[in-house]
């Protein structure tokens, strides 16, 4: 390992403003390293804002014998809950059982059963589901989340939206996460620890020298160069492009681009629990309460061949999700029930799996140090294990920087998350006492988004009018200014689809008016 040049602008330059890039930047900056990050679009503008919004162990990954990944994710759920109780919270998942459930016959579990019990080939028997849920409850330990239980669908309210053929269900625990807010809050905390965060800034070239990198940037302020002792490639779907086109190196590993699409419908049920549906084709989908008045259904797993093609939920995928969910619900889901769709490309490590569904969700970190300054390439990963991925990345990074501090992020609150896991309702009540002009729904939204920082955002306001122009759906100018000055938002799309989901409630004219106001505020 050659000595790195001390005469650099930064120690680490991170390419990519998704959850992996921002998580690594936060961890590294908190250990005392000089960090700069560049994202060619908005933070979380690609994969990291297009997830199913879950911190989960990955129940179905047990069928692929991915026990290490599942255990790490199960342990991590509660670590993350404690650090961000405003943007993450426990949810109960209802898994209806029926005899027609089938495996993907290519899973290791299905193949094993096919050999040992040929008459069971392709079937998912109840005992196997119970075994999987037992492992799910015990692999990672639980202190906050309740264990699995059995539900009588004939008497429990969760059975009312379902077809009568479902008599029994299993109910287990996982967690919700506001994915794009998670990315932004990691970026904010990285910045608070000294990192420089650049959005809408493209890395056009990275020149490798024996002891440093010269990183060429093109952003709103023009072009410039940054000298970095080490390069971190967290480009997500573009990780291979960064290696080959930006750094001019040969890629020794590849990514498998898998498109996951979701539909959002009008609310399909009245309770706050989620459904885990298993299809006769071996796939699974979730139906999740979303933004109070809606239901989120997803996801698909489709190969995405062309990275230059923006991912979008196709009509075929939307129909598949509607029909899949409708095979469980009493009431059909019509195309007119869909109010929004979104799609993202997951950059999975290419392990040669036979299908997109079977491709590993493990992350892989590849360190390149021969022939010049070091470069760390990040492949794959899932949102639940982003913090562990960052710690694993730091294990590879710290040998180049003797004296670097040790791990520190476990349980450390993200901005606004400094209150107990069970303290959300108390936060809402306290905020409404201090700001009695707030409507209950508005107060809940503010605490969900900003946690304890909601008070700082509202400041000395005595009335709603003190919050400035009303853009609709309780969004006021003071909140918009906060998002622009504190959370890197530059246009209306950044706010209504990533910092919030108010795009579901605002009209096109209202969004255009917000965009115009923000342009004028920038000038």
């Amino acid at each position: 390992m050659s000595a790195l040049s001390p005469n650099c602008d930064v120690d680490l330059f991170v390419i990519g403003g998704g959850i992996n890039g921002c998580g690594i930047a936060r961890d590294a900056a908190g250990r005392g390293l000089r960090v700069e990050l560049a994202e060619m679009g908005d933070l979380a503008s690609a994969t990291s804002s297009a997830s199913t919004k879950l911190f989960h162990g990955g129940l179905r990954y047990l069928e692929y014998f991915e026990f290490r990944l599942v255990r790490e994710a199960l342990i991590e759920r509660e670590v993350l809950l404690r650090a961000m109780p405003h943007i993450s919270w426990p949810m109960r998942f209802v898994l209806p059982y029926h005899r027609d459930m089938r495996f993907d016959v290519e899973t290791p579990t299905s193949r094993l059963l096919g050999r040992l019990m040929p008459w069971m080939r392709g079937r998912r028997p109840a005992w196997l589901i119970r075994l999987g849920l037992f492992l799910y409850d015990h692999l990672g330990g639980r202190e906050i989340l309740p264990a699995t239980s059995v539900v009588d669908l004939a008497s429990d309210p969760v059975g009312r939206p379902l077809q009568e053929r479902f008599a029994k269900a299993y109910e287990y625990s996982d967690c919700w996460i506001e994915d794009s807010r998670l990315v932004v809050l990691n970026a904010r905390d990285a910045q608070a620890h000294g990192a420089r965060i650049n959005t809408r800034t493209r890395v056009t070239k990275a020149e490798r020298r024996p002891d440093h990198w010269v990183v060429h940037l093109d952003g709103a302020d023009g072009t410039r160069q940054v000298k970095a002792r080490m390069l971190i490639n967290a480009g997500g779907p573009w990780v291979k492009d960064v290696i080959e086109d930006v750094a001019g190196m040969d890629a020794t590993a590849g990514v498998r681009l898998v498109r996951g699409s979701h539909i959002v419908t009008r609310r399909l049920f009245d309770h706050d629990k989620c459904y885990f549906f298993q299809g006769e084709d071996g796939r699974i989908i979730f139906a999740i309460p979303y933004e109070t008045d809606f239901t989120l259904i997803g996801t698909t797993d489709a190969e995405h061949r062309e990275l230059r093609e923006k991912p979008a939920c196709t009509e075929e995928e939307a129909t598949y999700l509607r029909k899949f969910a409708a095979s469980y619900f009493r009431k059909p889901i019509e195309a007119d029930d869909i109010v929004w769709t979104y799609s993202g490309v997951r950059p999975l490590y290419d392990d040669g799996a036979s299908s997109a569904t079977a491709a590993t969700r493990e992350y892989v970190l590849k360190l390149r140090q021969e022939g010049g300054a070091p470069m760390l390439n990040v492949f794959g990963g899932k949102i639940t294990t982003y913090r562990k991925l960052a710690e694993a990345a730091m294990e590879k990074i710290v040998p180049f920087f003797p004296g670097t501090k040790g791990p520190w992020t476990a349980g450390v609150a993200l901005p606004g998350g400094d209150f107990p896991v069970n303290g959300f309702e108390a936060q809402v009540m306290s905020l409404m006492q201090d700001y009695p002009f707030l409507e209950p729904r508005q107060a809940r939204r503010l605490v969900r988004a900003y946690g304890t920082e909601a008070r700082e955002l509202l400041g000395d306001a005595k009335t709603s009018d003190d919050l400035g122009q009303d853009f609709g759906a309780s969004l006021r100018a003071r909140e918009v200014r906060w998002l622009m000055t504190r959370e890197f938002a530059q246009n209306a799309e950044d706010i209504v689809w990533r910092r919030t989901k108010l795009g579901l409630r605002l009209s096109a004219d209202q969004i255009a008016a917000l965009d115009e106001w923000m342009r004028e505020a920038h000038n």
Side-chain angles (χ1 to χ4, degrees):
M1 183 171 63
S2 61
L4 300 181
S5 171
N7 300 315
C8 288
D9 303 303
V10 296
D11 298 314
L12 302 180
F13 194 97
V14 181
I15 301 175
I19 188 55
N20 290 337
C22 291
I24 292 171
R26 179 199 183 211
D27 193 329
R31 299 190 195 211
L33 295 179
R34 298 170 300 157
V35 179
E36 185 162 354
L37 178 148
E39 162 57 43
M40 64 181 177
D42 181 29
L43 296 173
S45 57
T47 304
S48 295
S49 60
S51 76
T52 311
K53 327 295 183 190
L54 299 177
F55 277 155
H56 65 131
L59 182 60
R60 74 180 181 88
Y61 304 150
L62 291 175
E63 294 181 2
Y64 294 90
F65 300 159
E66 300 237 30
F67 297 113
R68 190 213 65 80
L69 174 67
V70 174
R71 183 175 186 276
E72 181 177 79
L74 288 171
I75 295 171
E76 193 67 2
R77 290 178 311 178
E78 297 197 1
V79 174
L80 297 173
L81 271 178
R82 290 185 172 94
M84 53 196 81
H86 50 333
I87 62 170
S88 182
W89 55 91
M91 297 187 96
R92 294 289 279 173
F93 287 74
V94 178
L95 194 164
Y97 177 75
H98 62 92
R99 293 178 59 84
D100 295 332
M101 289 178 174
R102 293 291 184 269
F103 283 113
D104 176 347
V105 295
E106 296 301 318
T107 67
T109 301
S110 181
R111 291 198 298 268
L112 180 62
L113 279 181
R115 285 195 297 269
L116 299 177
M117 304 176 186
W119 63 92
M120 297 295 298
R121 182 169 175 79
R123 287 185 55 199
R124 253 195 198 109
W127 64 263
L128 188 65
I129 294 173
R130 287 198 299 269
L131 174 61
L133 289 168
F134 176 84
L135 291 173
Y136 207 68
D137 277 345
H138 294 90
L139 269 178
R142 290 172 296 100
E143 296 181 12
I144 301 172
L145 302 174
T148 297
S149 60
V150 178
V151 177
D152 179 358
L153 294 176
S155 59
D156 194 286
V158 299
R160 292 174 193 159
L162 302 177
Q163 297 172 14
E164 291 183 359
R165 65 191 178 100
F166 301 106
K168 179 175 74 172
Y170 303 99
E171 187 177 296
Y172 70 96
S173 294
D174 263 322
C175 306
W176 178 262
I177 177 61
E178 298 286 0
D179 54 4
S180 48
R181 288 208 60 74
L182 174 67
V183 177
V184 170
L185 294 184
N186 269 272
R188 279 192 57 201
D189 210 35
Q191 185 182 63
H193 284 91
R196 178 171 180 173
I197 307 296
N198 307 284
T199 63
R200 291 178 170 84
T201 301
R202 185 178 293 273
V203 177
T204 57
K205 187 178 182 181
E207 296 179 280
R208 194 184 195 198
R209 305 289 167 78
D211 59 356
H212 70 277
W213 289 86
V214 179
V215 183
H216 298 252
L217 304 178
D218 186 3
D221 298 329
T223 60
R224 61 186 177 91
Q225 297 178 10
V226 177
K227 290 175 64 176
R229 300 173 72 188
M230 187 172 185
L231 192 66
I232 310 297
N233 173 14
W238 294 271
V239 62
K240 189 176 179 182
D241 288 3
V242 171
I243 297 171
E244 296 178 338
D245 299 337
V246 175
M249 302 167 70
D250 293 330
T252 58
V255 291
R256 188 167 192 162
L257 302 178
V258 177
R259 187 176 66 253
S261 294
H262 302 75
I263 60 174
V264 176
T265 70
R266 297 179 182 88
R267 188 169 62 179
L268 301 178
F269 45 89
D270 294 331
H271 57 79
D272 62 356
K273 296 179 180 179
C274 312
Y275 291 104
F276 179 115
F277 294 152
Q278 304 177 79
E280 295 182 18
D281 61 355
R283 293 214 65 254
I284 64 99
I285 63 168
F286 296 101
I288 309 173
Y290 189 58
E291 295 291 320
T292 307
D293 300 318
F294 307 97
T295 300
L296 171 64
I297 300 173
T299 180
T300 60
D301 275 326
E303 302 283 358
H304 193 78
R305 303 293 181 186
E306 181 50 69
L307 187 54
R308 287 171 294 185
E309 179 183 327
K310 185 177 180 180
C313 180
T314 65
E315 184 176 345
E316 180 182 14
E317 286 176 308
T319 300
Y320 171 82
L321 292 172
R322 283 195 300 110
K323 290 184 175 180
F324 195 149
S327 69
Y328 278 80
F329 289 124
R330 293 175 186 261
K331 185 180 176 182
I333 303 172
E334 306 296 341
D336 289 346
D337 292 324
I338 299 175
V339 298
W340 183 48
T341 67
Y342 67 90
S343 186
V345 175
R346 296 189 291 273
L348 306 181
Y349 180 71
D350 191 357
D351 61 351
S354 59
S355 69
T357 301
T360 184
R361 267 56 177 176
E362 288 270 16
Y363 54 81
V364 176
L365 306 175
K366 296 284 189 178
L367 179 64
R368 301 278 289 268
Q369 56 181 316
E370 304 82 8
M375 177 182 190
L376 183 66
N377 297 300
V378 180
F379 296 87
K382 58 197 295 281
I383 199 165
T384 312
T385 53
Y386 87 90
R387 194 193 65 84
K388 296 297 291 183
L389 182 153
E391 285 191 339
M394 292 305 301
E395 288 182 11
K396 292 184 176 293
I397 291 168
V398 293
F400 296 94
F401 303 98
T404 302
K405 298 175 185 176
W408 66 277
T409 58
V412 175
L414 287 173
D418 50 336
F419 63 92
V421 170
N422 61 356
F424 173 75
E425 295 297 339
Q427 287 291 321
V428 174
M429 293 300 297
S430 177
L431 192 70
M432 292 183 66
Q433 289 173 358
D434 292 346
Y435 298 91
F437 60 86
L438 293 176
E439 296 291 332
R441 187 163 178 158
Q442 181 183 13
R444 295 181 72 84
R445 183 182 74 77
L446 290 173
V447 175
R448 275 290 176 226
Y450 309 107
T452 56
E453 290 191 326
R455 280 181 175 75
E456 186 178 351
L457 186 157
L458 294 170
D460 59 358
K462 304 298 182 187
T463 68
S464 292
D465 288 343
D466 292 337
L467 300 178
Q469 184 172 333
D470 183 357
F471 297 101
S474 79
L475 180 66
R476 294 277 187 158
R478 185 173 295 192
E479 182 177 357
V480 174
R481 288 193 186 93
W482 171 282
L483 294 170
M484 293 172 68
T485 59
R486 299 290 191 94
E487 297 197 3
F488 311 99
Q490 295 188 25
N491 61 35
E493 182 182 342
D494 296 350
I495 289 179
V496 304
W497 292 118
R498 285 184 286 276
R499 308 307 185 277
T500 75
K501 290 296 182 287
L502 293 177
L504 291 167
R505 307 184 186 282
L506 295 171
S507 68
D509 287 345
Q510 287 173 313
I511 294 173
L514 170 62
D515 211 34
E516 178 61 27
W517 188 92
M518 292 178 69
R519 278 197 298 271
E520 292 178 357
H522 273 302
N523 297 331

